[in-house]
């Protein structure tokens, strides 16, 4: 069933082209999908191989070790896409892996990233022009990784040669050292890009959590920002702050698998069985990200963010210093944001501060209060009550630097783009223009009226 297709077109590529065409493997049990993808790639400088099952795809990988990109459907008989990508990683670890999945199958995307370290997941149905750009970016990344490997080996060989000829070729050594430094800068740039992709993935998961429960809106972002400010004020190191920020963004990821009905019930109104199910979400959150080594420390904080200082929390009943400092910070920020959301139009800051002080020593660590109060007041600045008289709706093209958002800005499909109270800058105005082209909103952008 496997077949190859040679595409000779060269239009549309950005960045440096590889010396020869890249090779792409498409895996889907539906022939129509494969034909559609092949037609879409006709004008691209790629060799296309296709397979109609995970087993067939693995066979092709063994015979074509130079495959640079793998695109697999998730739901296939025999072997799911996430399992296939996990096995494909062992055969071709450098190949960029992507998963095709329906909008509702969020767990499939999580499995693909956790098991197969997928670079991206693509929702069905896709837009050809967007998918083409994603494929181009992925192949460019593969080319950079291959170049990275070659450069690393070249640097190793050059260093050995320089050591042997150092006494006789000192001037030559100096020239090569400069070249090596330049190559190292290129590698550092690549590492920054990989780190940026990692950060964007975390942001994407945070937004998926909010799509799962629309009531929380920008809760994860608020908790992460408040937690970060507290950590900085307490003098925590940058690595600890980064781990804390990621954990705060993903602290509710375990709720993705909870029943819809359970998300709509307050804890005090749950039956014992419902409460028991709800109290599992910190454990599920840690488990969901544990396969990603760089997220394991964040997973520990996610597990503990519902623990109380006096041991009455869940899921493990930890108390005092046995609860990680980062988890104590997230617990406080989580409580504060949820309470402020309820009372923000009615003395929200005062209500939150009074409740936190009341819980100090029982639920919250009293040593955190000074930093918390300072960070809380900075994060939750007073925002005027929204009304017809104090705000106006504008097109994106009418936005100006310095305007203040009076409502959250969301894309057409519901992703949070900017939060209420944000002061617009040139950078985030350009971002809004780009997102509104990709995912148009039904309405405009609401800002507070500015005199003059």
């Amino acid at each position: 069933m496997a077949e190859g297709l040679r595409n000779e077109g060269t239009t549309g590529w950005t960045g440096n082209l590889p010396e020869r065409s890249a090779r792409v493997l498409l895996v889907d049990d539906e022939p129509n999908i494969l034909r559609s993808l092949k037609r879409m790639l006709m004008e691209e400088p790629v060799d296309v191989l296709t397979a109609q099952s995970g087993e067939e795809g693995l066979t092709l990988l063994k015979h074509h070790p130079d495959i640079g990109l793998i695109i697999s459907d998730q739901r296939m008989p025999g072997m799911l896409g996430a399992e296939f990508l996990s096995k494909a990683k062992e055969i071709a670890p450098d190949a960029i892996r992507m998963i095709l999945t329906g909008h509702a199958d969020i767990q499939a995307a999580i499995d693909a990233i956790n098991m197969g370290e997928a670079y991206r997941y693509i929702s069905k149905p896709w837009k050809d022009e967007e998918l083409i750009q994603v494929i181009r970016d992925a192949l460019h990344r593969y080319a950079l990784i291959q170049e990275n490997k070659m450069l690393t080996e070249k640097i190793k060989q050059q260093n050995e040669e320089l050591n042997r000829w150092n006494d006789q070729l000192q001037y030559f050594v100096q020239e090569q050292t400069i070249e090596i430094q330049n190559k190292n800068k290129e590698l550092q740039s690549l590492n920054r890009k990989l780190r940026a992709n990692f950060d964007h993935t975390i942001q994407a998961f945070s937004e998926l959590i909010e799509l799962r429960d629309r009531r929380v809106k920008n809760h994860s972002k608020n908790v992460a920002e408040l937690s970060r400010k507290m950590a900085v004020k307490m003098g925590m190191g940058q690595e600890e702050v980064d781990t804390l920020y990621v954990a705060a963004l993903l602290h509710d990821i375990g709720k993705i698998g909870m029943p819809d009905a359970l998300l709509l019930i307050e804890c005090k109104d749950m039956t014992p069985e419902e409460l028991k199910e709800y109290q599992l979400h910190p454990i599920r959150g840690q488990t969901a990200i544990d396969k990603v080594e760089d997220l394991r420390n964040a997973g520990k904080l996610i597990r503990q963010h519902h623990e109380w200082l006096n041991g009455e929390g869940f899921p493990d009943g930890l108390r005092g210093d046995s609860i990680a400092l980062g988890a104590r910070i997230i617990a406080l920020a989580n409580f504060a944001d949820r309470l402020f959301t309820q009372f923000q139009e009615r003395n929200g800051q005062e209500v939150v501060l009074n409740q936190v002080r009341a819980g100090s020593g029982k639920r919250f660590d009293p040593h955190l209060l000074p930093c918390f109060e300072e960070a809380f007041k900075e994060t939750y600045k007073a925002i005027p009550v929204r009304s017809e008289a104090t705000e106006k709706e504008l097109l994106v093209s009418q936005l100006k630097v310095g305007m203040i958002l009076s409502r959250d800005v969301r894309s057409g499909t519901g992703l949070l783009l900017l939060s209420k109270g944000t002061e617009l800058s040139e950078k985030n105005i350009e971002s809004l223009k780009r997102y509104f082209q990709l995912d148009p909103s039904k309405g405009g952008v609401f800002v507070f009226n500015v005199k003059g």
Side-chain angles (χ1 to χ4, degrees):
M1 297 293 293
E3 60 182 281
L5 171 68
R6 172 69 173 179
N7 294 328
E8 299 294 341
T10 58
T11 61
W13 282 91
T14 59
N16 296 324
L17 288 170
E19 293 181 1
R20 59 185 178 82
S21 296
R23 181 162 283 169
V24 178
L25 172 61
L26 308 175
V27 183
D28 199 304
D29 61 311
E30 296 184 35
N32 289 338
I33 297 294
L34 292 176
R35 284 194 292 269
S36 176
L37 289 170
K38 286 165 62 178
R39 283 195 302 270
M40 184 185 68
L41 293 171
M42 283 294 294
E43 297 300 322
E44 300 299 313
V46 295
D47 290 329
V48 178
L49 301 175
T50 63
Q52 292 186 336
S53 68
E55 292 82 0
E56 190 176 356
L58 294 176
T59 300
L60 279 174
L61 276 175
K62 293 176 182 178
H63 288 88
H64 300 280
D66 61 338
I67 287 175
L69 173 62
I70 304 169
I71 302 177
S72 173
D73 186 32
Q74 165 61 11
R75 295 195 175 277
M76 297 185 295
M79 184 185 300
L80 293 176
E83 181 184 359
F84 164 68
L85 290 183
S86 178
K87 294 182 178 180
K89 180 184 67 174
E90 298 176 2
I91 300 173
D94 289 343
I96 307 301
R97 294 170 290 279
M98 299 196 297
I99 192 80
L100 286 170
T101 182
H103 281 296
D105 202 355
I106 299 300
Q107 188 60 48
I110 294 174
D111 291 343
I113 292 175
N114 287 344
M115 296 172 60
E117 296 181 7
Y119 168 64
R120 290 284 296 271
Y121 77 89
I122 303 161
S123 299
K124 293 180 179 178
W126 63 80
K127 293 182 179 179
D128 284 359
E129 62 273 14
E130 294 179 8
L131 181 53
I132 283 289
Q133 190 56 53
V134 169
I135 290 173
R136 291 171 181 167
D137 292 344
L139 289 173
H140 188 60
R141 182 185 181 196
Y142 174 76
L144 287 174
I145 291 174
Q146 298 306 304
E147 184 181 7
N148 179 17
K149 293 176 67 175
M150 290 190 298
L151 289 173
T152 301
E153 182 62 27
K154 181 179 179 181
I155 290 172
K156 178 181 177 181
Q157 294 173 358
Q158 288 177 339
N159 282 334
E160 293 175 352
E161 182 180 359
L162 289 172
N163 288 332
R164 288 194 301 268
W165 297 98
N166 183 60
D167 293 339
Q168 302 174 28
L169 303 172
Q170 185 174 4
Y171 179 74
F172 175 76
V173 168
Q174 292 173 348
E175 286 189 333
Q176 294 304 307
T177 300
I178 293 174
E179 181 181 351
I180 291 171
Q181 290 173 346
N182 290 334
K183 293 300 183 183
N184 281 335
K185 289 180 181 178
E186 293 179 16
L187 294 176
Q188 290 171 4
S189 177
L190 174 60
N191 286 333
R192 286 193 295 270
K193 290 180 181 178
L194 294 175
R195 177 66 194 185
N197 284 335
F198 175 81
D199 292 341
H200 293 158
T201 300
I202 298 301
Q203 290 285 350
F205 273 124
S206 175
E207 292 171 358
L208 288 174
I209 296 169
E210 294 180 1
L211 285 176
R212 180 71 174 85
D213 185 358
R214 294 297 181 90
R215 297 178 307 156
V216 298
K217 292 187 177 179
N218 51 337
H219 172 67
S220 296
K221 180 181 177 182
N222 291 344
V223 172
E225 184 61 22
L226 180 55
S227 298
R228 184 189 65 80
K229 288 182 178 178
M230 290 176 61
V232 170
K233 292 179 184 298
M234 295 177 65
M236 294 176 66
Q238 188 60 51
E239 185 174 349
E240 291 179 292
V241 173
D242 291 343
T243 298
L244 173 63
Y245 187 79
V246 169
L249 279 175
L250 301 179
H251 72 279
D252 276 338
I253 193 172
K255 291 183 179 179
I256 289 181
M258 289 173 57
D260 291 342
L262 199 57
L263 293 173
L264 303 176
I265 306 175
E266 297 293 335
C267 290
K268 60 184 178 61
D269 298 324
M270 292 181 183
T271 66
E273 292 76 16
E274 290 172 335
L275 185 61
K276 183 177 180 181
E277 174 70 16
Y278 175 81
Q279 290 178 343
L280 294 176
H281 82 262
I283 300 175
R284 289 172 175 161
Q286 180 190 29
T287 304
I289 65 174
D290 188 68
K291 291 182 180 179
V292 182
E293 185 174 353
D294 289 345
L295 295 180
R296 285 177 182 167
N297 288 333
K300 296 176 183 177
L301 303 185
I302 291 173
R303 184 185 182 104
Q304 297 180 10
H305 82 275
H306 276 297
E307 301 288 357
W308 286 27
L309 197 70
N310 64 359
E312 295 181 5
F314 62 88
D316 302 309
L318 303 179
R319 64 170 59 240
D321 290 339
S322 61
I323 307 170
L325 175 60
R328 282 177 267 159
I329 291 174
I330 295 174
L332 188 48
N334 178 48
F335 174 84
D337 183 71
R338 289 191 180 278
L339 191 60
F340 182 78
T341 301
Q342 299 176 34
F343 294 95
Q344 59 180 316
E345 309 293 2
R346 294 175 289 130
N347 301 320
Q349 285 194 5
E350 182 179 347
V351 171
V352 172
L353 292 174
N354 288 338
Q355 289 292 319
V356 168
R357 290 165 186 156
S360 177
K362 178 182 179 182
R363 182 171 182 173
F364 307 119
D365 185 345
H367 297 97
L368 303 180
L369 259 61
C371 291
F372 164 75
E373 293 189 8
E374 187 178 345
F376 179 77
K377 291 175 182 178
E378 292 176 6
T379 304
Y380 298 84
K381 298 176 181 178
I383 300 176
V385 177
R386 189 174 70 212
S387 70
E388 295 292 336
T390 61
E391 68 176 356
K392 57 184 177 180
E393 183 179 8
L394 300 177
L395 299 174
V396 177
S397 60
Q398 296 174 305
L399 298 177
K400 297 184 183 301
V401 173
M403 289 181 172
I404 307 295
L405 296 178
S406 60
R407 306 186 189 184
D408 290 342
V409 182
R410 293 183 176 271
S411 69
T413 55
L415 289 176
L416 178 68
L417 303 180
L418 289 176
S419 302
K420 178 175 70 172
T422 298
E423 180 176 344
L424 292 179
S425 65
E426 184 175 341
K427 181 178 180 180
N428 52 36
I429 290 175
E430 290 303 316
S431 295
L432 285 180
K433 290 179 180 178
R434 185 173 64 255
Y435 279 114
F436 271 48
Q437 288 179 343
L438 296 175
D439 188 5
S441 176
K442 296 179 181 178
V445 178
F446 288 85
V447 300
F448 289 112
N449 279 320
V450 179
K451 293 182 179 180

